Amino acid sequence: FQSLIELFVNRLDSVESVLPYEYDAFDFCQDKEEKRPSENLGQVLFGERIASSPYKFTFKKQETCKKVCTRSYDPANSADKSKLAFLKKGMQLNYQHHWIIDNMPVTWCYDVEDGQKYCNPGFPIGCFVTPDGRVKDACVINSEFNKKNTFYLFNHVDITIMYHSGKDENWPGARLVMARLRPQSYKHTDENNLSCEGPPMEIPGEFTNKLNLIYTYSVTFEEKNNIKWASRWDYILESMPHTNIQWFSIMNSLVIVLFLSGMVAMIILRTLHKDIARYNQIDSSEDAQEEFGWKLVHGDVFRPPRKGMLLSVFLGQGTQIFIMTFITLFLACLGFLSPANRGALMTCAVVLWVLLGTPAGYVSARMYKTFRGEKWKTNVLLTALLCPGIVFADFFIMNLILWVKGSSAAIPFGTLVAILAMWFGISVPLTFVGAYFGFKEKPIEHPVRTNQIPRQIPEQSFFTKPLPGIIMGGILPFGCIFIQLFFILNSIW
């Protein structure tokens, strides 16, 4: 049972910017002997950058207004100017700290409307009052944050660590079940005699005088035996908004889908019913009349499509992605991919995609053989390389941009090599194996022979042309899933 509690820091991000940054990119207090826990593939791909911090506590030892470090800025020094400018930019764009204690996010809980408490797994660097006096973001929490064109830095944190004691349950020690903090801003004038009270730490919009920033913290410990260690994440998940709206949108979409499916089924049934009735009439009269209705196209139904190669390739890739998504969601529902296991979801998805090359190759080859295609080598290569190649090229270009911008979301070169090795070393050979079995099987026999000469298609009306058809056919499904997509993407963002 260890008494030292270490606080780890993660990357900083903002809803107003797409670029996350490492903790070290800002000029905060840094650990002298910085340790970085080993990260799995999912964490690296998601841009998580966890590092140790100088915030270290001893279990049950209370600290009040303890100094962490001092940062000094001189307007005559260009390096200091750029560091402070970057810190101001972070406050202006409302960048958020993400701290971790015992693999749990340190949350900032505050009251929102309807008397509810919202627990945010991050807290802002600081806040900004605009030159016209508009109070932005977190500056609303304190009436003293009111000076125009001024930045207020949260240079002090009050941390409360709650633990579940084992003395009543006959096991030694205690388990940490919750870590909360409250960001504060204090202007410390004397670093040898610190008192965490008084006016806030102001950073003027115009940097003209020397500036000293002193970072401090206070820590308290509370016994909380009503929270079990296994359910310590629940309070964060329960406080998240948007949980009730999803059910309404899902029910709404299901009703629309059922209504549209019913409408299409009714139209098809009526058309079929009329055609069958006419066929029966002709058979009973035994007059050799010209074919009409559905019988007109019986010799063209099984004609291979013009872009059969692409269709079979996309179908194979779609099968791979569908099975990957299904298994990932199934494992997540069983609780194997919990939020406590960081990066597990992404790691699971990538590994499953790599291992599911065989179904992709099989489905693609089987479909291509059904179309009577003969370029089987091209089919296998396109199935293995086309879609992943497009995604990887896009990913690589975005990664270059992030790397140039110095963002923590940029993937290290070693990880890129590892992904390429998994793609070419595992996925591509498995696709070849699947394609071998797909081409080995007999092609599907069609119940109707295809005419050698395609039937002439009469002049089509405007709405049956490809573009209007795509738009009209796509609007209804899009309308069904739009509400769900909005909430899903919103929560991911």
Side-chain angles (χ1 to χ4, degrees):
F1 144 71
Q2 69 178 66
S3 59
L4 181 71
I5 299 169
E6 282 196 79
L7 187 145
F8 287 89
V9 289
N10 204 341
R11 61 174 185 177
L12 286 91
D13 57 20
S14 165
V15 291
E16 293 179 34
S17 169
V18 293
L19 298 174
Y21 288 101
E22 280 201 55
Y23 181 81
D24 293 353
F26 295 90
D27 193 31
F28 298 130
C29 300
Q30 287 169 14
D31 196 7
K32 290 183 181 117
E33 298 169 12
E34 193 175 66
K35 297 195 297 283
R36 288 185 177 268
S38 59
E39 293 179 336
N40 58 41
L41 181 65
Q43 285 176 287
V44 177
L45 291 176
F46 269 135
E48 288 202 13
R49 298 289 180 269
I50 298 170
S52 59
S53 77
Y55 296 87
K56 294 179 181 9
F57 321 118
T58 305
F59 184 58
K60 284 193 180 177
K61 187 186 175 187
Q62 316 274 12
E63 297 278 7
T64 308
C65 208
K66 186 169 181 183
K67 182 184 144 191
V68 186
C69 74
T70 306
R71 289 281 183 263
S72 300
Y73 301 96
D74 187 347
N77 188 324
S78 59
D80 285 359
K81 279 178 90 169
S82 63
K83 281 178 188 173
L84 192 65
F86 193 63
L87 192 64
K88 285 179 179 176
K89 185 189 169 189
M91 286 188 265
Q92 208 163 356
L93 292 173
N94 195 26
Y95 269 84
Q96 306 268 320
H97 283 282
H98 294 283
W99 289 3
I100 301 160
I101 287 178
D102 191 36
N103 201 31
M104 273 218 64
V106 183
T107 55
W108 175 33
C109 296
Y110 49 87
D111 295 320
V112 288
E113 65 267 9
D114 305 330
Q116 289 181 309
K117 196 177 268 295
Y118 176 58
C119 290
N120 186 3
F123 70 96
I125 296 173
C127 61
F128 177 51
V129 179
T130 60
D132 57 355
R134 200 157 40 86
V135 177
K136 282 190 73 186
D137 304 315
C139 278
V140 296
I141 65 171
N142 194 332
S143 58
E144 289 184 3
F145 300 165
N146 52 24
K147 200 176 279 186
K148 291 181 181 179
N149 194 24
T150 304
F151 295 87
Y152 292 93
L153 176 75
F154 291 132
N155 60 334
H156 175 87
V157 282
D158 288 323
I159 301 169
T160 306
I161 297 173
M162 297 173 193
Y163 61 92
H164 184 112
S165 176
K167 65 175 185 286
D168 299 332
E169 298 171 29
N170 298 322
W171 48 269
R175 289 172 177 163
L176 305 187
V177 290
M178 194 186 290
R180 287 184 181 175
L181 61 72
R182 205 166 74 249
Q184 305 278 14
S185 181
Y186 296 122
K187 187 171 186 175
H188 301 297
T189 47
D190 182 6
E191 61 180 285
N192 299 316
N193 186 21
L194 296 169
S195 64
C196 291
E197 52 189 31
M201 183 66 233
E202 296 172 357
I203 300 174
E206 300 296 324
F207 180 36
T208 50
N209 301 318
K210 281 190 178 180
L211 188 68
N212 282 338
L213 301 180
I214 301 169
Y215 291 89
T216 54
Y217 72 88
S218 299
V219 62
T220 54
F221 290 86
E222 278 182 31
E223 194 172 317
K224 202 99 170 172
N225 289 340
N226 60 331
I227 300 173
K228 294 272 185 277
W229 189 85
S231 56
R232 61 184 190 155
W233 283 76
D234 290 4
Y235 82 100
I236 304 171
L237 303 173
E238 282 164 11
S239 77
M240 290 285 180
H242 307 317
T243 44
N244 303 326
I245 309 162
Q246 294 246 9
W247 292 109
F248 169 74
S249 65
I250 288 166
M251 291 306 296
N252 176 41
S253 302
L254 279 173
V255 168
I256 295 171
V257 167
L258 289 170
F259 172 70
L260 292 175
S261 307
M263 246 172 58
V264 172
M266 287 289 292
I267 293 163
I268 291 171
L269 277 171
R270 281 197 65 180
T271 311
L272 273 173
H273 190 73
K274 277 166 73 178
D275 278 3
I276 289 163
R278 284 181 70 183
Y279 295 149
N280 292 340
Q281 224 174 355
I282 290 162
D283 288 345
S284 60
S285 63
E286 292 181 0
D287 290 338
Q289 287 189 6
E290 195 182 337
E291 289 179 342
F292 61 88
W294 287 59
K295 281 193 177 180
L296 286 171
V297 292
H298 79 273
D300 294 285
V301 170
F302 294 104
R303 188 176 304 285
R306 277 179 297 179
K307 299 276 191 289
M309 174 77 84
L310 270 182
L311 178 62
S312 57
V313 166
F314 286 146
L315 200 67
Q317 282 291 311
T319 307
Q320 189 175 3
I321 291 164
F322 177 76
I323 299 171
M324 175 203 81
T325 309
F326 179 78
I327 297 173
T328 306
L329 287 175
F330 180 70
L331 291 173
C333 290
L334 291 178
F336 288 114
L337 308 175
S338 79
N341 189 0
R342 294 170 188 278
L345 187 79
M346 191 66 175
T347 307
C348 177
V350 171
V351 169
L352 278 171
W353 182 85
V354 166
L355 296 174
L356 287 166
T358 308
Y362 178 81
V363 170
S364 177
R366 192 101 175 81
M367 187 55 64
Y368 188 62
K369 196 170 183 183
T370 303
F371 294 153
R372 307 288 189 272
E374 290 171 2
K375 297 178 181 173
W376 63 270
K377 289 177 186 170
T378 312
N379 174 260
V380 180
L381 285 169
L382 282 177
T383 306
L385 305 175
L386 179 67
C387 294
I390 293 166
V391 172
F392 186 81
D394 184 29
F395 178 73
F396 184 73
I397 292 162
M398 286 173 69
N399 199 56
L400 275 179
I401 295 164
L402 290 167
W403 179 69
V404 168
K405 291 280 184 185
S407 170
S408 68
I411 310 298
F413 181 72
T415 308
L416 281 176
V417 172
I419 291 168
L420 280 171
M422 287 168 74
W423 177 18
F424 286 104
I426 304 170
S427 182
V428 172
L430 286 175
T431 308
F432 274 80
V433 170
Y436 170 75
F437 287 110
F439 280 118
K440 223 173 108 172
E441 286 196 26
K442 286 181 183 175
I444 299 163
E445 291 298 322
H446 299 317
V448 183
R449 193 181 296 164
T450 308
N451 293 341
Q452 282 190 327
I453 302 165
R455 188 180 177 84
Q456 278 293 108
I457 298 171
E459 186 64 35
Q460 297 294 297
S461 51
F462 165 74
F463 58 85
T464 55
K465 287 190 166 64
L467 195 64
I470 290 165
I471 293 166
M472 287 191 294
I475 276 175
L476 295 172
F478 177 76
C480 291
I481 63 164
F482 172 72
I483 302 167
Q484 273 134 284
L485 271 181
F486 172 75
F487 287 115
I488 290 164
L489 294 174
N490 205 25
S491 59
I492 289 170
W493 181 253

